[in-house]
Amino acid sequence: MSVPASTSSQRNVVFVDGIRTPFGKAGPKGIYADTRADDLVVKAIRELLRKNPALPPERIDEVAIAATTQTGDQGLTIGRTSALLAGLPHSVPGFAIDRMCAGAMTSVTTTGSGIGFGQYDVVIAGGVEHMGRHPMGEGVDPNPRFLTDRLVDPSALVMGNTAENLHDRFPSITKDRTDAYAVASQNKYEAAKKAGFIADTLVPVATKSAAGWGLATEDEPPRPGTTIDDLAKLKTPFRPAGRVTAGNAAGLNDGATAAILAGEDTAHELGLNIGMRMVGFSFAGVDPAVMGIGPVPATEKLLGRTGLSISDIGLFEINEAFAVQVLAFLEHYGIADDDPRVNQWGGAIACGHPLASSGVRLMTQLSRQFAQRPDVRYGLTTMCIGLGMGGTVIWENPIHSEYSGAKA
């Protein structure tokens, strides 16, 4: 019996473009209280196609959309349903994916792998979370053996408790440090917003409520003008006299993201933008009780695989689920809390963290920052993941070689 020749070919995977909705506060008073989750995804997909008219919709090989709580308007294989709702041809397939907070990141790495292996040419990858309609953990039924057999510490099922555990693991990361980091995130976000950098990543979304129609054009969660004194007064809901507060952690949010990925050859063929090249990715598991340390082993694994060192990374986009989680990463690598390479435009503490959508927000911002910084060759997007994981993707700036050549 003859074996058919392989049709695969390894090639560069590029991030073409990314977009997101403004992020809202979860709950009955949030901007998206009466907006469906799938409609948020549809808005992002349609905006991507509007901004990239050189991409024929029929050339899209897959639509991968993540959601942590896959029920209701976030269920029914949301990658496929959102593709249909967005008006893509029936020939374009889609699927749903779940890796909790790293859902969109996994949508990118999974479909990116397909591109690198030669089985896709162009894909749309992203994520959505409507935490107002679907609170984290809604309807789940954890196996009782997790607790009765002590497979995990009970605190592992409450993310705020895991952040307090991480404080215990790193006593040098005090509440004063996390509050100072949180204030800096708010300030950096506000500066980036005033400079027009945030608006460039957003698509306005029409909203409807009892008060009538509205238009969401900016993130709802930021608290400009926040001071350390303000944060010092907040309650510590996860532990008496604890260190984690609503001020030094991301809130509960609604929002969606989407990105176009392609083979670099296909991008050239179609005349698509090349925002950055994927160098590699890695996911790693850790003790679920200290899930916030997950980015460290994921990054260590990836640096070892790529032969790069942390000093090669010129820009970091680290998801700010909790300030302590970011600081634990920085402390591990000997990076200062206020290093200018880290989260230049602020992070989730300011703009919000709609769980499965956030990975593409990090990538979209890094891609825009690469365009401003031709002197930087490599950037990194990383995040901690519920149930004890971390994920990291390293990207290369495509204009760095041109810049280097011009300098030479």
Side-chain angles (χ1 to χ4, degrees), residues 6-336:
S6 171
T7 60
S8 67
S9 59
Q10 210 167 10
R11 57 183 174 159
N12 286 336
V13 179
V14 299
F15 184 98
V16 172
D17 195 10
I19 201 73
R20 68 178 177 92
T21 68
F23 289 168
K25 294 180 179 179
K29 295 183 180 180
I31 55 176
Y32 298 131
D34 296 316
T35 301
R36 291 178 59 97
D38 48 10
D39 284 337
L40 294 177
V41 179
V42 167
K43 188 66 176 177
I45 293 175
R46 286 179 172 169
E47 180 67 3
L48 276 180
L49 296 176
R50 187 192 71 80
K51 290 181 63 184
N52 296 273
L55 173 60
E58 65 272 13
R59 289 293 301 271
I60 299 170
D61 293 310
E62 191 74 90
V63 177
I65 301 296
T68 302
T69 306
Q70 296 190 8
T71 188
D73 54 345
Q74 290 181 177
L76 199 63
T77 314
I78 193 167
R80 173 59 172 170
T81 55
S82 60
L84 293 171
L85 289 165
L88 296 181
H90 289 179
S91 58
V92 178
F95 66 97
I97 200 162
D98 172 25
R99 200 198 292 264
M100 299 193 78
C101 299
M105 177 177 280
T106 305
S107 296
V108 167
T109 58
T110 298
T111 53
S113 299
I115 293 170
F117 193 56
Q119 307 308 298
Y120 297 143
D121 288 327
V122 186
V123 303
I124 289 177
V128 63
E129 209 73 49
H130 199 307
M131 300 182 75
R133 286 174 174 258
H134 308 293
M136 187 176 182
E138 177 190 45
V140 301
D141 180 20
N143 193 301
R145 291 197 303 111
F146 277 120
L147 302 181
T148 58
D149 294 359
R150 302 294 295 182
L151 296 178
V152 299
D153 187 89
S155 63
L157 302 181
V158 179
M159 298 301 101
N161 288 343
T162 70
E164 289 285 7
N165 293 343
L166 199 57
H167 270 290
D168 295 339
R169 184 78 64 93
F170 290 85
S172 61
I173 303 178
T174 62
K175 184 176 183 298
D176 287 345
R177 279 181 67 187
T178 57
D179 284 352
Y181 180 87
V183 168
S185 181
Q186 296 283 353
N187 290 341
K188 288 189 288 185
Y189 174 89
E190 184 65 12
K193 178 183 174 182
K194 288 180 177 178
F197 300 152
I198 302 298
D200 186 51
T201 68
L202 304 180
V203 54
V205 177
T207 62
K208 191 175 187 299
S209 67
W213 286 95
L215 187 66
T217 59
E218 58 184 39
D219 295 317
E220 190 176 21
R223 297 179 294 275
T226 297
T227 67
I228 292 178
D229 287 343
D230 294 332
L231 299 188
K233 300 171 186 175
L234 298 178
K235 295 179 180 179
T236 59
F238 303 104
R239 185 184 294 182
R243 292 141 298 192
V244 179
T245 71
N248 58 32
L252 305 179
N253 305 110
D254 309 328
T257 60
I260 298 171
L261 302 175
E264 187 163 5
D265 54 339
T266 302
H268 286 305
E269 173 202 342
L270 297 176
L272 299 174
N273 173 68
I274 297 176
M276 52 188 185
R277 298 187 187 93
M278 184 185 293
V279 176
F281 65 88
S282 178
F283 294 93
V286 298
D287 179 353
V290 285
M291 67 97 191
I293 200 63
V296 170
T299 301
E300 289 287 292
K301 182 190 292 188
L302 184 53
L303 291 174
R305 185 179 293 155
T306 59
L308 296 172
S309 70
I310 203 69
S311 62
D312 291 315
I313 307 302
L315 290 169
F316 295 81
E317 280 294 315
I318 307 173
N319 193 45
E320 297 173 353
F322 301 93
V324 64
Q325 160 254 314
V326 179
L327 295 179
F329 180 92
L330 299 181
E331 191 157 299
H332 174 83
Y333 286 108
I335 299 172

Side-chain angles (χ1 to χ4, degrees), residues 305-374:
R305 185 179 293 155
T306 59
L308 296 172
S309 70
I310 203 69
S311 62
D312 291 315
I313 307 302
L315 290 169
F316 295 81
E317 280 294 315
I318 307 173
N319 193 45
E320 297 173 353
F322 301 93
V324 64
Q325 160 254 314
V326 179
L327 295 179
F329 180 92
L330 299 181
E331 191 157 299
H332 174 83
Y333 286 108
I335 299 172
D337 295 4
D338 59 353
D339 191 298
R341 297 173 297 169
V342 177
N343 291 7
Q344 289 191 329
W345 299 351
I349 289 173
C351 71
H353 173 33
L355 301 184
S357 71
S358 288
V360 164
R361 178 188 69 81
L362 302 176
M363 296 169 191
T364 299
Q365 292 192 176
L366 179 62
S367 178
R368 301 295 202 283
Q369 292 164 12
F370 271 163
Q372 298 176 359
R373 295 288 305 277

